[in-house]
Amino acid sequence: DADGSHPLRLTNHPFWDGYPDWAPDGTRIVYYSYLSDTDWVIQVMDADGGHPRQLTAGGACDGAPHWSPDGTRIAYTSAADCTPTRRDVYVMNADGSDPRNLTPHPADDVGSSWSPDSTQIAFSSNRDGNYELYVMDADGSNVRRLTENEADEQAPAWSPDGTKIAFYSD
């Protein structure tokens, strides 16, 4: 419960499961499972922990999933060779179908965050030297850099009204 009472363990994986995110309708939770050093998968389960289902194929390092506010898609980060300095932002339908690489760029693209209207995704990338914030349309088009300085910016989060983006910077 939100007050800290009644904790309920939902997974019992031999390694670990992480980065849970509630579906907008509150009925499901998306998360990633660490199967090995080179195999992380995106999974979804009912809100009570029942019916876990694997959404991504495996054989890559898929992590940090986030539901779109309209509940139709899931954005996540994937590294085909599990290199933590060469990740891309992907989107798939909520049932795991039609995964698409939105940032096929040789840089490290991470930290996806949906705009409240599900039309844009903010992310962090080192494509211009250090980690800056970028935003793109939800289909991967129209990529625009938002910050430009010597600091690293990470973990963008949209305000509920879509007019601001919070992030951390060193």
Side-chain angles (χ1 to χ4, degrees), residues 21 23 27-32 41-47 49-56 67 74 94-96:
D21 190 41
T27 63
R28 294 169 291 164
I29 299 171
V30 68
Y31 60 101
Y32 87 94
V41 295
I42 305 298
Q43 301 208 87
V44 66
M45 65 181 158
D46 295 343
H51 304 100
R53 297 168 301 285
Q54 185 173 318
L55 298 180
T56 58
W67 287 96
I74 297 169
D95 65 2

Side-chain angles (χ1 to χ4, degrees), residues 16-22 29-34 40-43 45 62-67 74-77 87 111-112 155 168:
W16 71 283
D17 300 316
Y19 291 89
D21 190 41
W22 287 95
I29 299 171
V30 68
Y31 60 101
Y32 87 94
S33 286
Y34 177 94
W40 310 355
V41 295
I42 305 298
Q43 301 208 87
M45 65 181 158
D62 299 331
H66 296 286
W67 287 96
I74 297 169
Y76 62 101
T77 300
R87 297 166 286 187
S112 57
Y168 73 80

